[in-house]
Amino acid sequence: MRLSYADEMLLLNGCPGVIGLAVVLSGEQPDVEQVRARVAERWAGLERMNCVLDGPTGSGGTARRGLFGRRGRMRWVVPGPFDPVAHVGVARTKLDDLWTQSVDRPLPGGLPPWRLSVLPDAAHGGDFALALVAQHALLDGRSLATLMRSLMDGPATARESVRSVPLPRTGLRAAGRELMTMAAAGQALPMRPPGEPCSSVVVSELPAHTVRSARRQPADGRGATLNELLVGAVAGAVRARYGPVRQWRQRDEPAYTAVPCDLRTGATTGELGNTLTVVRVPLPVDVDGPVARLRACQDAMATVPERAAAHAGVLFPAAEAVRRTGPWVTRFLADRGRHSCFAATATTAMKWPGGSSTFQGRRLVRTVGLPPLQHPGTVSFALAQAGDAFTLTVVCHLRPNDAARFADAVVTEFETWARMTTPSVP
């Protein structure tokens, strides 16, 4: 099976490319064989979960070197029968430790690049967790949510799913504007103090009342979506850490965040793979005041659906057509995205599809995402919502412990909005 344009871009971007989603549950931990049986029942028939990378010079084991830029033409193949024993195991570690151990290590070849772990000690308000880790070239974040939802109790065919928002129509003029925006110069995060960057991962919980209060900002507006709040909080966190962008290198270029956009339609809601694009949004780091930054983020995010439509309707089909005769195009575009000045941060807000859930009678407590480790000098943020539980994961490729500093700064922005919304008590 031929790799899609999105698959190939993720394969050649030079990053480890590992993403994850965990469901934290309450109740007695199930036996691993029970989990394997559910996985075999729900996932064995899904072609994408049986695929490995194969290339011109070797099997799936050698093909994984393409994750670091190998220039062979890769394809997906199904090497053998589904084996839940090889993919599902018990990890004797906490969820936060599993994320830290996984984020900078591509999964080994030979097997389809995903693993599901049963974690006896999940923390974060639960008794155990099921954690799915996969190579991004195989699955996007929406696919992880679809897969984890399918493991929950009830018939797999009756599971609830999030409705995809229809993309607006777009034309060549809009596509041209978007192409110029994607090619515009940006600034990387200052590396202070200088030194060799390293990865760090932190998971933080946000109280539901804090998020609900923050959502009522700006007070004279319509309120804010979770995506808008996250981008606004990241802008404030970057300012708190490094100061205004104009002071970094005395340049006018903004710092950008990469916002993933799902391109699935109503007919392809449950499709697995990489049906997504990334829209580059300027962070209003230089805007004074948390509410003013949030307004600027709302204005910028309002353009995202039309811009994503330009990707889906014009830019992606053009890139697909060109790469059939010129594979160098994908490598060129992937190289463009390698620089931290393309996107200093990445921001993803995820809502658990459907309502409350159970796994073999165990109640879902929260979900925890693992965004990918990007290039040195970058930070990735994932804010996951499951009911009234909000969980922030920060993945840094900067200084040691920078993930904790950024997580604290994001939470501070939410708390600031919440205090401004809540009336003071005399």
Side-chain angles (χ1 to χ4, degrees), residues 155-200:
T157 55
R159 62 181 180 268
E160 298 176 75
S161 59
V162 172
R163 291 184 179 180
S164 296
V165 178
L167 292 173
R169 293 186 178 183
T170 188
L172 291 176
R173 183 174 297 179
R177 289 195 303 268
E178 176 60 12
L179 198 58
M180 292 179 64
T181 301
M182 296 296 282
Q187 291 207 51
L189 296 177
M191 297 291 285
R192 298 173 184 166
E196 189 69 24
C198 64
S199 63
S200 58

Side-chain angles (χ1 to χ4, degrees), residues 16-18 68 99-106 198-199 201 370 373:
V18 176
F68 300 100
W99 277 179
T100 299
Q101 295 164 11
S102 302
V103 72
D104 60 351
R105 302 174 190 176
C198 64
S199 63
V201 181
L370 176 67
L373 180 70

Side-chain angles (χ1 to χ4, degrees), residues 305-321:
E306 181 180 357
R307 295 174 59 193
H311 289 225
V314 180
L315 300 183
F316 272 27
E320 284 281 8

